[in-house]
Amino acid sequence: MSDMPTNPAETSPLRLKTGLAEMLKGGVIMDVTTAEQAKIAEKAGAVAVMALERVPAQIRAEGGVARMASPKKIKEIMVAVSIPVMAKCRIGHFAEAQVLQALGVDFIDESEVLTPADEMHHINKHAFASPFVCGARNLGEALRRIAEGASMIRTKGEAGTGDVVHAVRHVRQIAKDIRALTVLHEDELYTAAKELGAPYELVRLVADTGRLPVPNFAAGGIATPADAALVRHLGAEAVFVGSGIFMMDSQNFADPGEAQSRAEAIVQATTHYDNPQILAEISESCLGAIRGLAASTLEEGALLQTRGW
Amino acid sequence: MPITGLAEIPLKIGVVALQGDYAAHAEALRSSDTEIVSVRETAELVDLDGLVIPGGESTALLKLLTRENMFEAVREFAAAKPVFGTCAGCIILAKEVLPPPQQSLAVLDIIIQRNAYGRQIESRVAMGDCAFSGGGLEMVFIRAPRIVRAGSRVEILARYGGFPTLVRQGNILAATFHPELSADRRIHRFFCAMIRGGQPCLSPGVQMGNLGRRHNETHER
């Protein structure tokens, strides 16, 4: 070893976790509930799939306790595709996360879409070798999750609605919070950290670099190619699409051909987001969109985004 | 031999920016004598001196390369000018992809196995041997592929675990790991030197074919 360049060992696990998130940039991660859907997603150019028992629109419509998907289902999906497979665990449910890690899923989403298991604590994600993604509505929430070990942040939006308004609100809020930090005097960063409820070191890092220290993706209500382009313009580095590809409405699946056309169109739109000419062609080839649910009509108690602390 | 008088003209290097860690490559290549261009359309390949195909998901990249016949355009580019592919980029350059078989540009005489080390939990940072001066090379492997066979015209510039990890065939350079995610810039500098027509910074006396699995390999998990 003596003639080898030394390399700070502590950086490598985080680098591997954020490294996989780097590979997903510019791509689309799609929610799937069957191996067949996973294959459609892969064929359409998805960079990863999220293996679920029910998509958020179904969870919203059917109610009940939403938990980690069954290992059998996750394994079926892992066998069906060669791209990374993600899966969700409940907020604070580190035992579910341990199961997902043991199954070998490539990314764990500690998600507000499932029913929270802990009202106070998120998972200590540093304790895992698997990388985690977490939702956030503002910079303070994003930095708290990063402090706990998240290696990717996504906006929460309002999952299962097909209404992009809250994803836009959250992506704009995080960008605005970051810009606000970059103009503060060094002396003011201590109070900023207190107000954000986030560790000073991370606040300082964001103030210095003008960006989150991990990739920043968008999720929650993205349903059309233009929705994907919009959040990319606003700074999201990649896009999660949940119910918008495979659902016709909150109860019924779309025709597979239609789902495939949407999947392909959203993949192309995420790449070519700043070329309106290409977006117009893509949008024309895209068949239908989830009927959706206007997020402004939801009562406070029905919102998923307020879960998490 | 590089013509020293040209050293001041910036190299125009394209980075395929359809999907993946193209921003990390752009950052790694950025210097006073390079101009970096994000390539998302066929027309953007014109007048580039070299091209990088980054890491990402090879299936997604292939799908995105089908628009405007970009796949064919990149193959034509690779026939004439230097191209550097990492991880997914290396898979796309390979002659043959396993398993399952997948379309590729077939401009580099290697057989490559996707996800050969397993899932993300098997990803690692390793130190391996390389043909560059300055000692061992850090290699960031993320759901990495493995070169299981390299043709006789393929030079092996680095190895890990007994398998080639950095190879060159004429104007094509490819790594199964992610040099863009390490601080060591020797490989990106080597690619720039390839574009300029020289081949500096290989250590004298290193027989690349003899780089063995027993030398100085460590890895972190």
Side-chain angles (χ1 to χ4, degrees), chain A residues 96-112:
Chain A
E96 282 189 348
Q98 285 168 352
V99 170
L100 295 177
Q101 176 166 281
L103 290 172
V105 306
D106 297 292
F107 236 103
I108 300 172
D109 185 358
E110 186 185 17
S111 177
E112 71 282 0

Side-chain angles (χ1 to χ4, degrees), chain A residues 1 7 12 23 82 106 271, chain B residues 19-20 40 119 143 218 220:
Chain A
M1 282 268 304
N7 139 51
S12 64
M23 298 311 143
S82 64
D106 297 292
T271 293
Chain B
Q19 190 277 311
R40 284 188 284 166
R119 308 196 71 93
R143 287 173 47 94
T218 61
E220 299 157 26

Side-chain angles (χ1 to χ4, degrees), chain A residues 1 3-5 7-9 12-13 15-17 19-20 22-27 42-48 78 81-85 101 103-106 129-131 232 264 267-268 271-275 278 281-282, chain B residues 17-24 40-41 55-57 59-60 63-64 66-67 100 102 114-115 119-121 123-125 127-129 134-138 140-143 178 180-183 186 215-218 220-221:
Chain A
M1 282 268 304
D3 58 338
M4 307 298 278
N7 139 51
S12 64
R15 221 157 26 129
L16 288 172
K17 291 174 178 178
L20 179 55
E22 292 286 335
M23 298 311 143
L24 304 177
K25 280 186 180 175
E42 181 177 48
K43 197 159 163 243
V47 290
M78 284 166 62
V81 294
S82 64
I83 55 179
V85 175
Q101 176 166 281
L103 290 172
V105 306
D106 297 292
S130 297
R232 289 277 279 141
E264 287 179 357
V267 165
Q268 297 285 347
T271 293
H272 299 287
Y273 69 96
D274 60 354
N275 187 327
I278 297 178
E281 285 168 34
I282 294 166
Chain B
L18 296 169
Q19 190 277 311
D21 71 337
Y22 47 84
R40 284 188 284 166
E41 291 176 71
E57 278 306 314
T59 52
K63 184 76 192 177
L64 289 160
T66 56
R67 244 194 124 259
Q102 175 171 301
R114 288 181 63 209
N115 300 331
R119 308 196 71 93
Q120 170 64 9
I121 200 99
S123 292
R124 65 189 63 188
V125 178
M127 294 298 298
D129 286 324
L137 186 67
E138 182 189 80
V140 179
F141 293 99
I142 296 175
R143 287 173 47 94
H178 294 283
E180 70 279 14
L181 297 183
S182 289
R186 283 179 289 171
H215 301 303
N216 302 323
E217 285 184 357
T218 61
E220 299 157 26
R221 287 280 299 277

